[in-house]
Amino acid sequence: MENAKEALAGQEQTTLQITGMTCAACATRIEKGLNRLPGVEQANVNLAMETAMVKYEPDAVSLEDIMKKVDQLGYKAEPKQSEEETEKAKTREVHHQRNKLIVSAVLSLPLLWAMAGHFSFTSFIWTPELLMNPWFQLILATPVQFIIGGGFYVGAYKALRNKSANMDVLVALGTSAAYFYSLYQTIRWATLPHAHTSELYYETSAILITLILMGKWFEALAKGRSSQAIKTLMGLQAKNALVVRDGAETLVPLEEVVPGDIVVVRPGEKIPVDGEVIEGMTSIDESMLTGESIPVEKKPGDTVIGATVNKHGALKIRATKVGRETALAQIIRVVEEAQGSKAPIQRVADVISGIFVPIVVGIAAVTFLVWLLLVNPGDFSGALEKAIAVLVIACPCALGLATPTSIMAGSGRAAEYGILFKGGEHLEAAQRIDTVVLDKTGTVTQGKPVLTDVLPAAGIREEDLLRWVATAEARSEHPLAEAIVSGARERGLSLPEASAFEAVPGHGIMADVDGRRLLAGTRRLMQREGVAADAATKAMAELEQAGKTALLIAVDGQYAGTVAVMDTVKDTSKAAVQRLKEQGIRVIMITGDNERAARAIAAEVGIDEVLAEVLPEGKAAEVKRLQQQGRRVAMVGDGINDAPALATADTGIAIGTGTDVAMEAADVTLMRGDLTGVADAILMSRRTMGNIKQNLFWALAYNTVGIPIAAAGFLAPWLAGAAMALSSVSVVLNALRLQRVKL
């Protein structure tokens, strides 16, 4: 539905790969810049994934304009490449960061060794005379400062040019202060005979840069792990397909298959594309898609889904969906969009990081002046050291990574269990659910009812009654109709063609059969059409008490009998309802069925509250009524006939096999065909939000505690650098714990 609205509005959505971001302030600046562009509806920048998702009006702004704006802000943007290309680029980036770190460490370690010679308490450590030479230290520190650390200067310049500040500004200020003060002392030592070398801070600048690079390398490694879900899904796809062309079987790359191609699938092979079986019978392992371990039998006319496995028997299928249109490609797209989206809680981090850097620079300046003028008057080097420590400890990297890494890990882990969150906002919203409304048919039950009873009125043969009602119901797509038609055919009845068919939503059907006007439906339909059906009351009560759904039949305005069907409860429904209750959630079942039949099914699975005989359009109204009571409501349905209720609910959860409509209508899609995914989705949401709050707490607490300690002079700059790097890594590692959540 969302995409349909966007299409009507003429909107387009694109995902850009962004390079050059170093912290949350960078992501915030790009986001603000893009959102100010005329024609841009919404821009979300994800620091952890290094992407920007942009919705825009192509008539008002072009993709080139959007990328040009990112370039003006000092970063590089290009259309997101295939997952394979993106993965290669990330691998190159990890290797590049590692190589920079190695060179920086090799040059910095001698300076760290030399630092031991500056303090009396480390005088027992032997230090080569060469390492104590200021010129030698200058030679080691300069390439670290300006070549390896050159990116910090470039980033700081671009940020300041755009009238903002980021982590690069803090690092450039802190390391430059240490380097240039040391350079001044080196020149002074060379020109003044009595000058000493104890006030050199080359090791401070070099080791800071090395530690920051180490943190970035760890971050790059961890980010690669947090997008493991996408890699896993991509790995499910077949690489090639055996296609029949010009009468011969030809192995072609998957990208070359087009809709309409006849594809041959041998036993044990993956089905390459979505399609329809035209020849052969087999069983298909669809566990990657639905979570169901039992293979599904397939025959000509049945649909098959790409990336599922053909267990036995050769198949010929006609390709219906290829490339980005397949079910698996849609799943991958949903996961990518969820990982790239922004949860509302991230706004907290964005606001803080936007004003953080200027405040820190101010605190560092005040720290410097207080130490220089009041605490140790005239001790320039000591005051500078304290100011550098403040600048370095305050880098807001951890704050920027706190939310996106958890969203990536949480939504990715959920996807591995067949739970697809459409965006970060839905992942956040699910944790607040306190009421779950379950549609009965196909959600609590199998959705495939079977014919159980045919009770004709006096003077009417059972076969005639069943043939009449099955003939009329053959025009209907309702599951109850399918059960009646299947039951008639199993009994060998031939069904003529019905005419003047009319479906009455929530009531039943009307049609002309063999020259007779036939009605089949609820008591309300009979009352509306003036049919006296009192004779059926007792039989109906007994059928409904047994959990069966009874349909009253009238022929030419006279009651003709009753037929009953029964839908069996899914094996997992009772346990799933129990889990929801254990999570403190109120469970309600909603259905168009009569009260007695609905309550029989509800009692079987442990549901205490039932809303029965609710028309399709009434489901949304019932959801709204619960919301007006202050409840946070999740509606669980099949995503098609329940679409209005799914859209009305705080969280719409579609249960099924991920059809196009289900994915569009719902906020969460459960690929498994049972209710256990509802409890799992809420659990995953709660775990993810708990993880985000932990990350935000520790990132903020770290800066809140660290800055005063550094300002008070209890933190050497190199220790501040180590702590800053470790804080970012700890946030990412904490987020990765979500990948071990058992559902």
Side-chain angles (χ1 to χ4, degrees):
M1 288 192 296
E2 242 172 59
N3 286 359
K5 287 176 192 167
E6 283 169 21
L8 287 172
Q11 279 187 9
E12 284 187 18
Q13 179 171 307
T14 188
T15 303
L16 300 174
Q17 198 72 45
I18 309 289
T19 51
M21 291 192 293
T22 55
C23 70
C26 300
T28 303
R29 184 161 69 257
I30 297 170
E31 203 167 90
K32 284 180 180 174
L34 291 178
N35 280 317
R36 287 193 192 113
L37 269 181
V40 171
E41 189 69 27
Q42 184 185 14
N44 278 335
V45 178
N46 187 310
L47 173 65
M49 289 188 73
E50 297 175 326
T51 58
M53 279 172 55
V54 187
K55 289 180 185 175
Y56 65 100
E57 301 277 355
D59 295 337
V61 64
S62 68
L63 186 57
E64 288 71 24
D65 294 333
I66 293 169
M67 291 193 291
K68 197 179 290 180
K69 180 64 179 176
V70 176
D71 289 343
Q72 286 171 2
L73 292 169
Y75 306 90
K76 185 169 170 49
E78 56 185 23
K80 193 172 187 304
Q81 299 171 309
S82 67
E83 195 59 37
E84 199 173 326
E85 290 299 317
T86 304
E87 196 55 41
K88 286 178 183 174
K90 283 183 179 176
T91 304
R92 285 195 297 271
E93 177 62 20
V94 168
H95 289 161
H96 179 61
Q97 292 284 3
R98 183 198 62 192
N99 294 339
K100 280 172 66 176
L101 172 62
I102 290 169
V103 174
S104 187
V106 167
L107 294 172
S108 301
L109 284 172
L111 294 171
L112 185 63
W113 190 359
M115 188 173 70
H118 291 311
F119 305 108
S120 56
F121 64 87
T122 55
S123 56
F124 65 91
I125 299 173
W126 174 77
T127 309
E129 193 63 35
L130 177 65
L131 295 185
M132 302 302 294
N133 186 295
W135 293 114
F136 184 72
Q137 291 187 21
L138 176 66
I139 290 167
L140 290 175
T142 300
V144 177
Q145 185 72 33
F146 299 109
I147 299 174
I148 294 167
F152 297 117
Y153 285 104
V154 173
Y157 166 72
K158 287 176 178 177
L160 295 171
R161 188 184 67 187
N162 287 289
K163 298 175 183 171
S164 64
N166 63 358
M167 186 194 92
D168 292 331
V169 173
L170 297 181
V171 175
L173 273 175
T175 58
S176 296
Y179 177 85
F180 286 109
Y181 179 70
S182 301
L183 179 61
Y184 162 74
Q185 290 290 3
T186 300
I187 294 168
R188 191 164 170 268
W189 168 79
T191 53
L192 297 175
H194 300 296
H196 54 83
T197 62
S198 62
E199 293 182 347
L200 296 180
Y201 292 99
Y202 288 121
E203 77 286 342
T204 297
S205 66
I207 291 165
L208 278 177
I209 289 169
T210 302
L211 288 169
I212 291 165
L213 290 176
M214 183 183 292
K216 285 189 170 295
W217 181 54
F218 282 142
E219 273 176 35
L221 287 172
K223 282 178 191 174
R225 281 181 57 199
S226 62
S227 59
Q228 188 64 41
I230 300 277
K231 295 177 210 166
T232 304
L233 289 168
M234 293 291 291
L236 293 172
Q237 289 179 322
K239 301 293 184 286
N240 303 298
L242 193 61
V243 180
V244 178
R245 287 182 181 165
D246 300 324
E249 295 179 1
T250 310
L251 193 66
V252 301
L254 189 61
E255 301 78 38
E256 292 182 16
V257 181
V258 296
D261 271 344
I262 305 302
V263 180
V264 177
V265 187
R266 299 189 182 108
E269 291 182 342
K270 286 181 181 177
I271 293 171
V273 293
D274 293 5
E276 180 185 341
V277 178
I278 59 171
E279 187 181 308
M281 295 180 69
T282 186
S283 58
I284 303 287
D285 179 358
E286 295 185 344
S287 57
M288 54 71 60
L289 192 70
T290 64
E292 296 289 345
S293 57
I294 301 170
V296 181
E297 299 298 323
K298 297 289 181 180
K299 60 185 184 302
D302 290 342
T303 56
V304 290
I305 298 164
T308 55
V309 180
N310 181 21
K311 298 293 284 182
H312 59 78
L315 284 181
K316 280 189 179 178
I317 64 170
R318 181 181 288 108
T320 54
K321 291 183 179 178
V322 299
R324 291 181 62 81
E325 299 305 313
T326 63
L328 181 63
Q330 289 182 61
I331 293 167
I332 291 169
R333 195 151 60 244
V334 169
V335 177
E336 281 180 335
E337 287 178 6
Q339 292 191 336
S341 66
K342 184 173 288 190
I345 196 171
Q346 193 170 337
R347 294 184 194 126
V348 177
D350 290 347
V351 170
I352 294 169
S353 61
I355 59 173
F356 197 71
V357 175
I359 291 172
V360 168
V361 172
I363 293 171
V366 170
T367 301
F368 175 75
L369 292 172
V370 167
W371 278 88
L372 181 66
L373 302 176
L374 300 175
V375 183
N376 282 333
D379 184 6
F380 183 88
S381 63
L384 182 66
E385 187 176 288
K386 312 303 185 286
I388 291 168
V390 169
L391 288 170
V392 172
I393 195 74
C395 285
C397 306
L399 196 61
L401 291 166
T403 303
T405 46
S406 294
I407 293 288
M408 284 172 68
S411 59
R413 183 60 169 168
E416 290 174 24
Y417 282 87
I419 302 164
L420 305 181
F421 288 95
K422 209 168 183 182
E425 66 273 27
H426 305 305
L427 183 58
E428 179 173 340
Q431 53 125 10
R432 293 191 288 268
I433 291 168
D434 57 25
T435 304
V436 170
V437 178
L438 303 173
D439 178 52
K440 180 180 80 74
T441 306
T443 303
V444 176
T445 64
Q446 296 285 359
K448 292 183 179 177
V450 293
L451 179 68
T452 56
D453 300 86
V454 180
L455 307 173
I460 296 176
R461 292 195 318 149
E462 184 177 317
E463 290 80 3
D464 290 339
L465 178 67
L466 181 55
R467 186 169 59 83
W468 292 335
V469 70
T471 298
E473 293 284 12
R475 300 283 297 274
S476 172
E477 294 179 356
H478 195 281
L480 299 182
E482 291 178 18
I484 292 168
V485 173
S486 296
R489 287 188 172 139
E490 283 169 10
R491 298 184 191 194
L493 299 179
S494 60
L495 306 180
E497 190 71 28
S499 59
F501 175 84
E502 182 186 346
V504 185
H507 290 76
I509 61 154
M510 298 187 289
D512 289 344
V513 180
D514 290 344
R516 297 177 174 88
R517 186 62 174 166
L518 183 135
L519 309 178
T522 62
R523 292 183 185 89
R524 283 180 295 185
L525 179 65
M526 297 299 143
Q527 289 166 0
R528 197 185 86 163
E529 299 298 320
V531 177
D534 297 339
T537 304
K538 185 181 177 185
M540 275 194 85
E542 290 173 356
L543 292 168
E544 289 168 359
Q545 203 70 45
K548 298 174 183 179
T549 300
L551 294 179
L552 299 175
I553 315 300
V555 176
D556 291 335
Q558 298 296 316
Y559 170 69
T562 302
V563 296
V565 297
M566 187 171 184
D567 192 1
T568 54
V569 169
K570 291 179 181 176
D571 296 338
T572 54
S573 292
K574 186 173 183 178
V577 169
Q578 182 60 33
R579 278 189 63 199
L580 287 168
K581 287 183 173 180
E582 287 168 1
Q583 290 177 347
I585 291 167
R586 177 182 174 190
V587 183
I588 301 170
M589 190 178 82
I590 194 166
T591 179
D593 268 2
N594 63 79
E595 184 88 19
R596 281 201 193 93
R599 288 205 173 274
I601 295 289
E604 193 176 336
V605 296
I607 297 174
D608 304 316
E609 293 183 69
V610 177
L611 299 171
E613 299 181 35
V614 180
L615 299 175
E617 61 271 21
K619 291 181 181 179
E622 290 291 347
V623 168
K624 199 167 282 183
R625 182 180 61 79
L626 288 165
Q627 289 171 325
Q628 287 166 354
Q629 295 171 7
R631 313 294 297 189
R632 295 277 186 171
V633 183
M635 173 68 197
V636 186
D638 63 12
I640 300 170
N641 60 351
D642 297 313
L646 287 168
T648 304
D650 296 289
T651 301
I653 302 177
I655 193 164
T657 54
T659 59
D660 294 354
V661 180
M663 285 193 181
E664 295 302 334
D667 305 317
V668 184
T669 300
L670 307 179
M671 305 311 293
R672 298 182 181 190
D674 62 60
L675 285 177
T676 55
V678 180
D680 284 341
I682 294 169
L683 173 66
M684 199 69 229
S685 172
R686 290 177 178 177
R687 291 282 181 88
T688 303
M689 295 314 299
N691 192 274
I692 289 172
K693 287 169 185 172
Q694 289 167 9
N695 282 348
L696 288 173
F697 171 79
W698 286 112
L700 289 167
Y702 160 83
N703 284 316
T704 305
V705 173
I707 291 172
I709 291 173
F714 296 118
L715 207 58
W718 70 272
L719 275 174
M724 188 273 292
L726 286 171
S727 73
S728 299
V729 175
S730 65
V731 161
V732 175
L733 291 177
N734 185 49
L736 290 177
R737 289 192 308 116
L738 291 168
Q739 293 191 329
R740 296 200 299 273
V741 173
K742 298 290 183 190
L743 298 178

